[in-house]
Structure formats: C-alpha cells, structure tokens
Amino acid sequence: MSLLRLSLTCLSIAANALLAGGIFTFPLLSPVLALHCKLTQPQLTTIALLGMMGQYPFAALVGKVIDGYGPWACSLIASVLFSTGFGLFAAEVAKTPDDIAQPSKSSFRILAACFFLTGLGTASSYFSSIFAASKTFPQYPGAASGASMAFFGLSPLFLSLLASTYFTDPTTGLDVTRFLMFLAIASGIVHVIGAFTLRIPTSQCGVASQPDSVVSGRDEESSIDERQPLLPQKAPRSGGQAVRADEGSVLHLFRDPYFWSLAFIILIITGSCEMIISNIGTIVLSLYPNSVAGIKSLSSSAETVTTTQVRLISISNTLSRLISGPLADIISPLISHKPGDGPSPPRKYRISRVVLLSGTSLLLAGAFVYLELAIKTPGDLWILSVATGVAYGITFTILPSIVSCVWGKEDSGRNFGLITYAPLFGTPLFSYLYAFVSAHNSVGGGVCIGATCWSLTFWVCTGASLLSFVTSILLSQRWKGLV
C-alpha cells in the first residue's frame, strides 16, 4: 500500500469514527424536544433507546457484510443511514410549530424511526473503522483497533464542541434543526469518501483474517510427526479444564452458568450507563428550580450544562479505554497458546481481569449513592458523568479478552457478539424505569422537576450495581488463574 493511500485510509478511519457518535448527542437535543415538541419523558426515552439499541440487533449482519465485501461497504451503508436518519429528524423538528399544546403521535413515531436508523448507521460506521484499522495494520491489530475505538469515544466530545460553537445562540440555545442537518450532510459525505478509501487490498485482508495456526502452518509442518494427535484437544475454557470437540456450540455456551453470570454483569453496567448517557439532558433539566424564568432561558441554561456533561462522559470514556487495556495486560497478562502445543507455559498472573468489572460496579454504586445524597445542582453532576464514562469504557475494553480467554479464541467473535446482546435487555430495562418514574412525578405531564424524578431509579441502580459487584467477585474466584 502506497504512503498516500495509507494516509488517506488512516484519515478516513479517524473521520468515520469521529462522526459515528451522533446518537450520543441526544442529551443536547432532549431539552429542546421536551420544551418545543412537548414530548413526554417516556417518548424521549423511547427515541433515545431506539438509537442506542439500533447498534446491536444487526451487529451479526454488519459483520457478515464486513467479511463478504469489506469495510468500504459498511461505510457506504452508514452514509445512507446517517443522511436519511438525521435529515428526516431535522425536517420533522423544523415543521413542528412552537405553540402546540400536546405532542403529535405521528411526529413522535417519525422521530423514533429516524433515530433507530442512525443507531444502525452507528453500528455500520463503528465496524467499518474498527475492521479497516485492524486489516490495514495486521501486524498490530490491537493498537490499530484501540486507536479507532479511542476516536469513536471522542466523537460525542467533538460533535458537542461543534454544536456549542457553531449551532448554539447564547439566548435561544441550540438550533436543533441546523445541527441535525449538519450531521446528515457531514456524516453522509465522510462515509461516502470512506467507501472509496477503505478498500483494503485482498492480500492484506487475507493475512489479517487468517488465524495464527494458518499463518504459521508452514513453519509448523516440519515439527509434526506421527506421534502427534490428528485432532488435538481444544484450549482450556471455563474452569480451566480441556473441553471436548463438540463443546464449542452455542447451546453448550448457553448451558454454562458462568456465561449468564457475565451477561448479568454486562447487562447491569452497560444498561445503567446507557440509560444515563441517553437521559443526562433531562437529569440536568430536573435539577433546575421552578423559579427559572422563561422556557428559552431554561433551555439555554440546561443545554450549557448538558453539553459539559456530554463532554465529560466522552473524555472519561476515551481515557478509560486507553488506560484499562494496558492496565489489564499488566495485572493479568494473557498468553497466546495454540491447541496441541502441550501444557501452557507459566505466566506472571497477578489479579483477575474480572476485578476491573468489580471496580466499575462499585464505582457506579458509589456515584449513584452520591447523586441521591449530595447532588443538589446541575453543576454537581460531573461525578455521575465521569463515573458513567469510566465504567462504560472499561467494560467494553476488557470484555473481548475475557470472553476469548474463558471460552476460547475459535468462536471469540460469535461469543463476544452474544454477550453484547446483554445491553438489548439492560438498556430498555433501566431506561423505561427512569422514564416512567419521571413521568409519574411530573406535574401535568410536563417536564419533571426535582430529585423525585429519578430518586427511585437510582436507588434501584445502586442495588443492581452491588449485585453486579458480588457476582463479579464470585466469577473472579471461579476463573482465578485463567483470566
């Protein structure tokens, strides 16, 4: 690959990742949607939830597109989805009059469908940048994918800076229509460019996608003799015991209680984090007293604080991804061990990687308790935002290595995909809990004001986080010495 082509590919990967996080700017939109479009909290939660959940259901299909055609195809698909989703969303908001008394059901359905399309676009864009990076630099797949993940983590910060700098008026607040039209156009153009620049040469894809045993097969042929078994045992999995050849099926995985224990932990951590990421805008709004004069004043002030919280979540998410990966390698180094090579060599094992999940569970529980007992003003929410970003980043960074080490590398992609379906249940569970508690405590069905909007929700989240902590401690003991 020539230097110019390599440079264009790297720039395209970074641009795709930076513009992939449009759904995470929903907290900037929600105060305006609540005050201008008169959407209720359950309706706002549904829109945000469809955007978040749009990332997960078709992940396997997006992966097949990557395998069959390459990252360029997913970039092209993301271009269409982003342009359509954000463009129609902006048009629907623009045609809503300022003086409506009740939300339009048809308008709500259109906004929800549009945001679901942007969620699908996020998954396509994320896969295009991650796999383009790892296939472009097959010798350094971890560093390459980690760098693209870091850019993706910075996306909400980057987009919120653009929103506050170019699309926000000090008196009237964020111009949602102009900002969303910008996202539609910019995301569409950047990802169309990616369809031309993310075409990885076939030879590189082949090297990147071949397993270690295939790449090194020529070197190992000379060492194979008649005393070696033709069908070597698989690597150790759950509990550290060698497994039979028929134990790699999905059914066997589902029969493993420790798989469900890990899924339970991920459900709680990611579900509560995505609930906060989606609703931080209305959490900010709830902490403003009723005495704030005027809708425009309230909206502008809330948007300023919300923008700060979105940036804090983005920064802490990115930094935690960059730090937790190397930290996990230090405290619990993994050894690449091929089946049939004999006993695994000893490794310098210190602490289980699962302990990092224990730490995120405790961090979230502490942040939730602090929110209940000490946070009284919108500016104090930075503790909740930082804790959310750190927990979210750490969880998604160390999860692939845990899954790969416990259940083997052969099906690590499939198993990781299965475990990441946990947010499909966790996110709506916590999000609708927040939505209905907030709606129950709102006056006249309007914007909910006061700690009662979320007090019950975060006490439930505290209890769930402590359950996650206990479960993770049990798992770390079960997998001691393995991961």
Side-chain angles (χ1 to χ4, degrees):
M1 185 181 287
S2 67
L3 180 60
L4 176 60
R5 183 176 178 82
L6 181 63
S7 300
L8 289 175
T9 300
C10 292
L11 287 174
S12 187
I13 290 169
N16 272 21
L18 278 176
L19 286 172
I23 61 171
F24 299 106
T25 63
F26 186 79
L28 304 180
L29 315 178
S30 57
V32 176
L33 296 177
L35 298 170
H36 172 69
C37 300
K38 304 299 187 294
L39 296 180
T40 64
Q41 185 58 60
Q43 289 175 327
L44 291 173
T45 296
T46 299
I47 295 172
L49 190 57
L50 286 172
M52 285 290 186
M53 292 179 65
Q55 303 174 83
Y56 301 112
F58 298 98
L61 180 59
V62 173
K64 281 189 172 292
V65 173
I66 287 282
D67 293 336
Y69 300 94
W72 70 269
C74 281
S75 186
L76 183 61
I77 292 171
S79 173
V80 174
L81 291 171
F82 279 141
S83 295
T84 304
F86 286 128
L88 292 178
F89 199 108
E92 188 63 31
V93 173
K95 76 176 189 179
T96 303
D98 292 327
D99 57 352
I100 62 169
Q102 295 294 329
S104 166
K105 289 184 179 180
S106 62
S107 179
F108 159 68
R109 294 190 187 103
I110 292 172
L111 295 178
C114 290
F115 221 61
F116 181 74
L117 290 180
T118 62
L120 293 178
T122 300
S124 297
S125 176
Y126 181 78
F127 272 65
S128 71
S129 58
I130 292 290
F131 283 92
S134 61
K135 290 177 181 292
T136 301
F137 301 96
Q139 301 90 347
Y140 311 101
S145 58
S148 59
M149 287 175 67
F151 277 112
F152 180 74
L154 284 173
S155 179
L157 171 63
F158 173 70
L159 295 177
S160 68
L161 285 172
L162 292 180
S164 61
T165 304
Y166 300 106
F167 302 98
T168 301
D169 184 271
T171 56
T172 60
L174 176 67
D175 189 330
V176 170
T177 302
R178 287 182 58 234
F179 177 60
L180 290 174
M181 285 304 301
F182 163 77
L183 287 181
I185 296 170
S187 299
I189 292 174
V190 164
H191 286 84
V192 162
I193 294 174
F196 293 96
T197 57
L198 299 183
R199 295 176 181 266
I200 313 302
T202 305
S203 58
Q204 280 189 271
C205 292
V207 173
S209 61
Q210 287 176 340
D212 292 341
S213 59
V214 174
V215 174
S216 60
R218 292 185 297 273
D219 298 330
E220 293 177 351
E221 280 181 359
S222 59
S223 64
I224 298 177
D225 59 32
E226 66 275 7
R227 290 171 297 177
Q228 289 180 308
L230 294 176
L231 296 174
Q233 282 186 320
K234 291 189 176 182
R237 292 194 182 185
S238 183
Q241 301 297 322
V243 299
R244 299 188 308 271
D246 62 346
E247 291 188 348
S249 67
V250 174
L251 182 60
H252 174 76
L253 186 70
F254 285 170
R255 287 173 178 167
D256 187 345
Y258 303 105
F259 171 82
W260 294 108
S261 298
L262 181 61
F264 174 73
I265 296 170
I266 303 305
L267 181 149
I268 290 175
I269 295 175
T270 60
S272 57
C273 285
E274 291 189 349
M275 177 269 290
I276 295 166
I277 292 171
S278 301
N279 295 287
I280 192 68
T282 52
I283 294 174
V284 168
L285 206 59
S286 71
L287 290 172
Y288 278 89
N290 285 319
S291 58
V292 175
I295 287 180
K296 292 295 184 183
S297 174
L298 174 59
S299 177
S300 177
S301 179
E303 283 170 11
T304 301
V305 180
T306 301
T307 300
T308 301
Q309 304 310 315
V310 171
R311 292 174 184 174
L312 287 174
I313 292 174
S314 177
I315 292 171
S316 56
N317 181 18
T318 302
L319 291 178
S320 65
R321 289 173 187 259
L322 293 175
I323 295 172
S324 60
L327 177 62
D329 290 338
I330 293 172
I331 67 172
S332 182
L334 300 177
I335 288 182
S336 177
H337 176 64
K338 298 172 187 175
D341 284 352
S344 300
R347 66 192 180 100
K348 223 171 174 185
Y349 179 85
R350 294 182 177 86
I351 304 172
S352 172
R353 291 177 179 234
V354 183
V355 170
L356 292 175
L357 295 180
S358 306
T360 60
S361 298
L362 271 186
L363 177 65
L364 287 175
F368 297 152
V369 171
Y370 187 81
L371 172 66
E372 296 282 8
L373 301 180
I375 294 179
K376 304 298 181 185
T377 65
D380 296 333
L381 284 172
W382 68 268
I383 294 177
L384 177 68
S385 299
V386 170
T388 300
V390 169
Y392 196 67
I394 290 176
T395 300
F396 276 110
T397 300
I398 67 169
L399 183 59
S401 62
I402 293 175
V403 171
S404 175
C405 190
V406 174
W407 289 288
K409 291 184 178 180
E410 293 178 2
D411 304 308
S412 59
R414 180 203 67 190
N415 295 341
F416 177 69
L418 290 173
I419 204 79
T420 54
Y421 278 109
L424 274 176
F425 299 93
T427 301
L429 177 67
F430 288 104
S431 295
Y432 278 119
L433 173 64
Y434 171 84
F436 288 118
V437 169
S438 178
H440 178 73
N441 290 283
S442 64
V443 178
V447 176
C448 184
I449 301 295
T452 56
C453 299
W454 37 256
S455 182
L456 175 61
T457 300
F458 284 107
W459 280 126
V460 172
C461 289
T462 301
S465 298
L466 292 177
L467 281 176
S468 172
F469 170 74
V470 172
T471 305
S472 65
I473 292 296
L474 295 176
L475 272 187
S476 67
Q477 293 301 311
R478 171 66 182 180
W479 293 336
K480 188 174 183 180
L482 180 63
V483 63

